[in-house]
Amino acid sequence: MDGIKEFGLTKVSSHCSMAEMDDLYLSKLLDKPRLNIERKRSFDERSMSELSVALRGLENYENTYTPGGRSGLDTPASSTRNSFEPHPMVSDAWEALRRSMVFFRRQPVGTIAALDHASEEVLNYDQVFVRDFVPSALAFLMNGEPDIVKNFLLKTLQLQGWEKRIDRFKLGEGAMPASFKVLHDPDRKTDTIVADFGESAIGRVAPVDSGFWWIILLRAYTKSTGDLTLAETPECQKGMRLILTLCLSEGFDTFPTLLCADGCSMIDRRMGIYGYPIEIQALFFMALRCALAMLKHDAEGKDCIERIVKRLHALSYHMRSYFWLDFQQLNDIYRYKTEEYSHTAVNKFNVIPDSIPDWVFEFMPTRGGYFIGNVSPARMDFRWFALGNCVAILASLATPEQSAAIMDLIEARWEELVGEMPVKICYPAIESHDWRIVTGCDPKNTRWSYHNGGSWPVLLWLLTAACIKTGRPQIARRAIDLAESRLLKDSWPEYYDGKFGRYIGKQARKYQTWSIAGYLVAKMLLEDPSHLGMISLEEDKQMKPVIKRSSSWTC
């Protein structure tokens, strides 16, 4: 702890006062009925245009982080020093989280996906998944235990450097593993690691989101600890550049969004999300902004930074304009003309109005809106996806008005999107003939189960973070109360089934680690909103497009 404080004073002493002011302000947030988080802009809150000009002659990290604040350094495991009375579930959750820890040569390097001894099939639930570890990492950071996070970041970075081949085909150099497993040999007293880059996954799809989560977690670690040295190492700098090189490469695509296969993210089975899924676009946007704050302005980093700035401008405009849906925009699409040509076309993707599903018209409230699941030629996937919309709020991909509209939608459609167990991964479920075609008759993704409209407790932390950022803590409290009524009693399931999330998933693992960690992170965020700085980015005013076609959220 002393080393961190000393480092913070020597490296970023000019910004300690700002961190202290932020902490004093944020400590009062929960006393207000609606939060309005407005703080002095830190380095990574500046506009892209400012960054590209003003930082050419500066050290890269002088203003990037705000170490010395509350994020993780003083938060006890049971929150006993907070003004909140700790729930009995908290201690049980910490015990379960610690049981899931994985060690490599006696050093903690992650947490396994699930510790369900009752399950006959282990499959890959005994491995450390990159996306699964993120809520565990945030819980450890908020609890002042950064070592396991640092070890995880370094270990996965080493795995990135491995040659990756699937059926004699070589993957991109920057690809991060989906998961890894530590093998212990008690006779030889050695530990070895086996990584999975998609060659063992169901469907054999490489994860697109792993690299994005890695960059986001690297920033969270740095913001929490004030340890700028890790991100500044040549290895981490190269790792970020390799990840982004895969995504920023130029090709035949005419959109700034990232083209992806089905099964490349949290929804890791076929669910009709091929194309430009909202989850990947929101994570892509957030990772770009996080990397922009951490990349050095040296010879190697300068080109990458310039490409990031250009892509962010294009991506933000595209997403905010074409992925956004509210009552007015739905009405506009309903009246679209087709077969339009030239730059004057209004229906730019030639979407046939008859393809709009009936459920959307009843689902869309007068106030509220959301980023739809996918947009591509002649296709709009109108489904709601929780992770993509929450990350869009946290990354400020959504404007403040759009963020408020997403919260309005959640409140207006609480039964559909939250139900009896937070939170629906997507809405609505695919059924009947559509289910057979879209999922390939996947028996695990039957309607209102698993990825097909199932309820995932891990999403509680993302919902809570989004609620705090938008000044709606009461929504998070209501969701946490629902989770606390059942999660421990049900042994921390992976997911719940049913239209309202009433039933433990038919193939859900018990003691699912990210269900446990997601609950802990949600609790700690609500009890100390200053932790939000680890995983939230303020709006960049320069990237805000003029959207004239709808303002339903202000009605």
Side-chain angles (χ1 to χ4, degrees):
M1 189 73 71
D2 293 335
I4 293 175
K5 290 181 178 177
E6 181 181 353
F7 183 83
L9 287 171
T10 57
K11 187 75 175 179
V12 291
S13 58
S14 62
H15 287 269
C16 288
S17 59
M18 184 177 72
E20 291 167 2
M21 286 190 293
D22 286 350
D23 183 38
L24 289 172
Y25 177 73
L26 286 163
S27 65
K28 301 176 182 178
L29 288 176
L30 285 179
D31 296 330
K32 301 180 181 180
R34 288 174 67 90
L35 307 181
N36 183 18
I37 300 178
E38 293 182 1
R39 302 181 291 109
K40 287 188 176 182
R41 293 187 301 166
S42 62
F43 175 94
D44 52 355
E45 294 163 2
R46 296 180 183 179
S47 69
M48 299 303 105
S49 57
E50 284 180 288
L51 287 170
S52 59
V53 176
L55 293 177
R56 289 175 183 170
L58 299 178
E59 289 294 323
N60 194 45
Y61 291 124
E62 283 296 317
N63 301 325
T64 308
Y65 302 104
T66 54
R70 284 290 305 281
S71 292
L73 300 182
D74 299 306
T75 308
S78 61
S79 304
T80 53
R81 293 205 297 266
N82 268 299
S83 59
F84 288 73
E85 184 68 26
H87 193 279
M89 278 176 58
V90 172
S91 59
D92 186 275
W94 273 111
E95 290 176 10
L97 182 60
R98 296 193 191 286
R99 286 197 301 270
S100 72
M101 292 172 66
V102 173
F103 293 82
F104 178 76
R105 296 173 184 172
R106 298 183 179 180
Q107 294 294 319
V109 292
T111 53
I112 61 173
L115 195 63
D116 187 357
H117 296 296
S119 178
E120 295 179 359
E121 288 186 313
V122 176
L123 296 178
N124 54 2
Y125 282 84
D126 62 346
Q127 298 186 23
V128 180
F129 279 80
V130 173
R131 73 174 69 96
D132 290 44
F133 180 67
V134 171
S136 295
L138 294 177
F140 286 122
L141 288 174
M142 292 177 186
N143 202 46
E145 303 177 51
D147 288 347
I148 186 174
V149 182
K150 183 176 183 178
N151 294 339
F152 170 85
L153 290 167
L154 290 173
K155 187 53 60 181
T156 47
L157 189 62
Q158 290 179 346
L159 297 177
Q160 183 197 42
W162 289 9
E163 184 177 84
K164 301 167 278 287
R165 289 184 180 273
I166 299 179
D167 292 338
R168 300 185 179 182
F169 182 74
K170 186 177 179 181
L171 272 68
E173 190 178 0
M176 280 285 185
S179 63
F180 65 86
K181 183 175 182 177
V182 177
L183 301 176
H184 303 284
D185 188 332
D187 296 329
R188 297 182 180 181
K189 296 181 180 180
T190 59
D191 289 346
T192 56
I193 283 184
V194 177
D196 178 13
F197 291 90
E199 70 271 25
S200 300
I202 295 175
R204 300 301 189 267
V205 178
V208 175
D209 61 339
S210 289
F212 299 152
W213 279 123
W214 187 89
I215 292 174
I216 293 166
L217 186 57
L218 178 61
R219 175 189 177 271
Y221 169 85
T222 311
K223 291 285 286 187
S224 173
T225 64
D227 178 10
L228 314 183
T229 57
L230 179 61
E232 287 182 331
T233 60
E235 293 79 12
C236 282
Q237 291 287 309
K238 181 181 179 182
M240 284 188 285
R241 291 197 305 269
L242 287 175
I243 292 169
L244 297 176
T245 298
L246 278 177
C247 308
L248 296 172
S249 58
E250 297 171 346
F252 289 98
D253 211 328
T254 58
F255 311 135
T257 41
L258 200 61
L259 184 62
C260 302
D262 230 336
C264 66
S265 58
M266 177 181 174
I267 300 178
D268 57 6
R269 287 182 178 229
R270 182 175 164 188
M271 266 291 290
I273 64 169
Y274 59 88
Y276 307 90
I278 178 61
E279 176 178 332
I280 292 298
Q281 312 315 318
L283 287 172
F284 181 32
F285 182 88
M286 191 170 193
L288 288 175
R289 292 198 64 193
C290 289
L292 188 64
M294 295 186 291
L295 283 170
K296 291 183 177 180
H297 284 248
D298 53 19
E300 293 177 304
K302 186 177 179 181
D303 177 65
C304 192
I305 290 170
E306 290 177 353
R307 294 168 71 188
I308 289 173
V309 171
K310 292 178 181 178
R311 189 64 166 263
L312 280 171
H313 280 284
L315 184 60
S316 63
Y317 180 84
H318 184 90
M319 296 298 296
R320 293 169 179 176
S321 301
Y322 303 122
F323 274 67
W324 181 254
L325 188 72
D326 55 24
F327 184 83
Q328 183 58 53
Q329 175 63 1
L330 180 59
N331 207 142
D332 291 344
I333 297 172
Y334 177 67
R335 301 179 71 250
Y336 266 170
K337 296 178 180 179
T338 59
E339 302 300 322
E340 293 181 302
Y341 180 75
S342 181
H343 299 288
T344 59
V346 175
N347 185 1
K348 295 180 183 292
F349 300 96
N350 197 39
V351 174
I352 311 300
D354 287 346
S355 67
I356 304 174
D358 293 338
W359 67 264
V360 178
F361 296 102
E362 298 300 323
F363 177 75
M364 179 61 67
T366 304
R367 284 188 58 172
Y370 64 104
F371 290 100
I372 63 175
N374 221 314
V375 176
S376 58
R379 180 190 179 218
M380 298 182 80
D381 183 349
F382 290 92
R383 284 177 294 174
W384 152 273
F385 290 89
L387 193 151
N389 276 272
C390 288
V391 171
I393 291 174
L394 294 175
S396 287
L397 171 59
T399 65
E401 295 85 0
Q402 289 173 334
S403 296
I406 293 171
M407 287 295 122
D408 288 341
L409 180 82
I410 292 173
E411 286 192 302
R413 296 291 178 258
W414 183 265
E415 292 300 319
E416 292 91 337
L417 303 181
V418 180
E420 296 187 25
M421 177 53 66
V423 177
K424 276 269 178 282
I425 191 170
C426 68
Y427 179 88
I430 303 172
E431 305 182 59
S432 305
H433 184 60
D434 288 340
W435 168 77
R436 285 188 285 272
I437 294 175
V438 172
T439 74
C441 297
D442 189 342
K444 199 168 184 178
N445 271 335
T446 54
R447 64 175 186 168
W448 308 114
S449 179
Y450 203 46
H451 299 311
N452 190 12
S455 298
W456 292 72
V458 64
L459 297 171
L460 187 63
W461 82 264
L462 283 159
L463 175 64
T464 301
C467 289
I468 293 172
K469 183 170 183 180
T470 55
R472 310 283 186 92
Q474 68 279 5
I475 298 178
R477 289 193 190 100
R478 185 180 175 189
I480 290 173
D481 286 345
L482 285 172
E484 287 179 337
S485 69
R486 291 196 58 186
L487 270 181
L488 178 58
K489 181 177 65 176
D490 295 338
S491 302
W492 308 98
E494 179 183 10
Y495 62 94
Y496 284 78
D497 283 355
K499 197 168 186 178
F500 302 104
R502 298 180 62 189
Y503 305 99
I504 299 174
K506 59 178 178 286
Q507 294 188 46
R509 295 301 194 278
K510 300 291 186 71
Y511 290 97
Q512 185 78 17
T513 304
W514 67 354
S515 295
I516 297 164
Y519 165 73
L520 286 172
V521 173
K523 288 287 284 188
M524 287 190 280
L525 279 170
L526 197 58
E527 293 170 5
D528 184 357
S530 68
H531 290 313
L532 186 67
M534 273 192 264
I535 44 149
S536 177
L537 295 161
E538 296 305 309
E539 184 190 20
D540 183 341
K541 303 294 185 181
Q542 298 298 320
M543 287 193 296
K544 185 174 182 178
V546 178
I547 302 177
K548 298 180 179 180
R549 61 186 171 206
S550 177
S551 57
S552 66
W553 49 79
T554 60
C555 293

